Amino acid sequence: MITALLAAALAQATPVPTPLPSDPVAADWVAVPDDEILVFTLANGHGFTLRLAPAYAPAHVANIRALARARWWDSATSVYRVQDNYVAQWGDATEKKQLVPGVADGIAAEYDMPGPTAIVRLAKRDPYAEWAGYSADGWPLAGSGTRQWLPHCYGMVGVARDLAPSVGSGAELYTVIGHAPRALDRNIAVVGRVVDGIEWLSSLPRGTGDLGFYATPAERSPIVSARLASDLPAATRPHFQYRATRNPRFTAWIAGRENRTPPFFTVPAGGADICNALPPVRRTPG
């Protein structure tokens, strides 16, 4: 009885936070389609989940979906490169595994696309582009002139490739685990973003070989499976939501990222790098 009374008293004494102009409402959270969610499971019991970006790299994402549906990553693949402050990379370390029929490297480069289609932009010019902002479907964008692209920010996923004219098939992927290597923008296809489990990639032991490749097979982290959420039983599918960008609350969120407030911040920056203001994605509550 005393415990219940104490809890009630504490609840009454705890002030209810005043909503901020940047706080999202329930309608601001939009479901990510199941066929844009790709779940990787590692042999160590951990895993990570990607949100694919078919609107920005349609041919590569089609390859990735075909590989997942053919269970290509389910055997003889691994995370085989972890370079400090740069990337974690996975696929076939031997480069000898046969690809799925119809999946090949000889597709068009998808390094940028016609634009701009950004709904809202950051206040200051981007160091690597004329502007940076956000798409209607919750992706970070950078652009110049009549072109735009997905930037190489933390957690973004790119397609590993050899020297040009190779553009990569999508079988070999990497994610950024360090400072954003924006010089890679428009040189490699960006196909998505890690939306869950990035900690299991960024905390792996660093490779001791050149460019962070593991020197021996024993160091690699084997991949057990890769599944599109749309191919999983409905009851086991992970669900995610992105935050809608076409509303004043998101505009206020951007302003808050560009001008941090007291009591900790005493000097507002007046701007933000797109990689320090990545649009929110969350697991669907409940």
Side-chain angles (χ1 to χ4, degrees):
M1 184 66 173
I2 295 175
T3 302
L5 291 173
L6 180 59
L10 288 173
Q12 291 178 352
T14 303
V16 177
T18 302
L20 299 174
S22 59
D23 287 346
V25 299
D28 291 342
W29 292 104
V30 183
V32 176
D34 287 347
D35 66 352
E36 290 185 9
I37 298 299
L38 180 58
V39 182
F40 283 88
T41 303
L42 301 176
N44 61 13
H46 299 305
F48 55 96
T49 302
L50 316 185
R51 180 191 177 190
L52 300 173
Y56 304 95
H60 283 92
V61 169
N63 276 358
I64 290 168
R65 285 170 168 160
L67 290 163
R69 287 175 174 142
R71 310 293 191 254
W72 188 85
W73 282 289
D74 288 15
S75 64
T77 66
S78 63
V79 181
Y80 56 78
R81 176 191 180 194
V82 182
Q83 187 171 358
D84 191 48
N85 197 33
Y86 199 49
V87 301
Q89 186 168 319
W90 62 93
D92 170 27
T94 70
E95 299 183 329
K96 295 179 181 179
K97 187 174 182 178
Q98 189 72 31
L99 291 176
V100 174
V103 172
D105 189 344
I107 57 180
E110 295 181 308
Y111 303 157
D112 62 4
M113 65 221 71
T117 62
I119 298 301
V120 61
R121 300 183 182 184
L122 297 175
K124 290 188 175 181
R125 182 186 173 107
D126 184 83
Y128 293 87
E130 291 176 4
W131 58 266
Y134 305 90
S135 70
D137 55 348
W139 288 100
L141 291 171
S144 297
T146 61
R147 308 297 292 178
Q148 64 182 8
W149 54 90
L150 297 174
H152 272 80
C153 298
Y154 186 84
M156 297 297 280
V157 176
V159 175
R161 66 169 176 85
D162 293 325
L163 295 178
S166 168
V167 299
S169 66
E172 310 301 317
L173 299 171
Y174 65 87
T175 189
V176 177
I177 60 166
H179 184 75
R182 293 289 306 280
L184 293 177
D185 290 1
R186 293 181 290 175
N187 288 281
I188 292 182
V190 177
V191 293
R193 176 183 176 186
V194 177
V195 293
D196 190 58
I198 187 68
E199 66 272 22
W200 306 121
L201 292 168
S202 62
S203 63
L204 287 171
R206 277 30 182 171
T208 57
D210 292 343
L211 302 177
F213 285 89
Y214 288 130
T216 65
E219 298 174 84
R220 301 169 189 159
S221 293
I223 294 171
V224 173
S225 67
R227 296 287 185 275
L228 291 164
S230 55
D231 292 337
L232 293 171
T236 65
R237 294 177 185 176
H239 297 289
F240 292 85
Q241 298 171 321
Y242 65 86
R243 184 170 172 179
T245 59
R246 199 193 301 267
N247 59 74
R249 293 170 296 281
F250 190 82
T251 303
W253 177 83
I254 293 173
R257 300 296 295 180
E258 293 177 326
N259 296 282
R260 303 299 184 91
T261 57
F264 186 85
F265 291 91
T266 58
V267 180
D273 184 303
I274 187 68
C275 293
N276 288 323
L278 287 177
V281 177
R282 70 177 189 181
R283 276 189 175 267
T284 302

